[in-house]
Amino acid sequence: MPKGLPFQLDRYLELEDWSGRHLDLRKRGCIAENTPPILERPGISPRHWLYLNRNFESRFKGLVGSVKVVQHL
């Protein structure tokens, strides 16, 4: 379990997603009912997502960010 969160990250994201769907549609941060669930939106299988997260540094050996931001480093 991550430090600072009383539950797993995926459950936290689901809670945030659920909360956003119950806000007034005129409020900032609201999520439309027809928006796919938060863990489905990236379109990556959970297995692949976990692999990328666990192996990020070994898979990507460069800078992360937009070209414009990276050029200014």
Side-chain angles (χ1 to χ4, degrees):
M1 183 174 317
K3 291 182 180 179
L5 291 177
F7 35 76
Q8 295 293 329
L9 179 60
D10 60 338
R11 297 296 180 202
Y12 173 76
L13 293 174
E14 288 174 359
L15 176 63
E16 287 294 316
D17 186 79
W18 182 88
S19 298
R21 292 172 192 277
H22 289 82
L23 292 174
D24 184 322
L25 290 176
R26 297 169 292 177
K27 299 278 186 177
R28 182 175 178 215
C30 73
I31 300 170
E33 192 174 315
N34 61 347
T35 303
I38 195 165
L39 295 174
E40 291 177 17
R41 282 183 237 158
I44 302 172
S45 73
R47 187 177 198 172
H48 190 208
W49 177 256
L50 288 174
Y51 174 81
L52 288 173
N53 278 276
R54 290 180 180 146
N55 300 289
F56 186 83
E57 291 178 2
S58 64
R59 297 289 298 159
F60 304 100
K61 302 221 186 279
L63 299 172
V64 177
S66 71
V67 173
K68 187 175 183 178
V69 171
V70 171
Q71 287 175 338
H72 285 88
L73 293 176

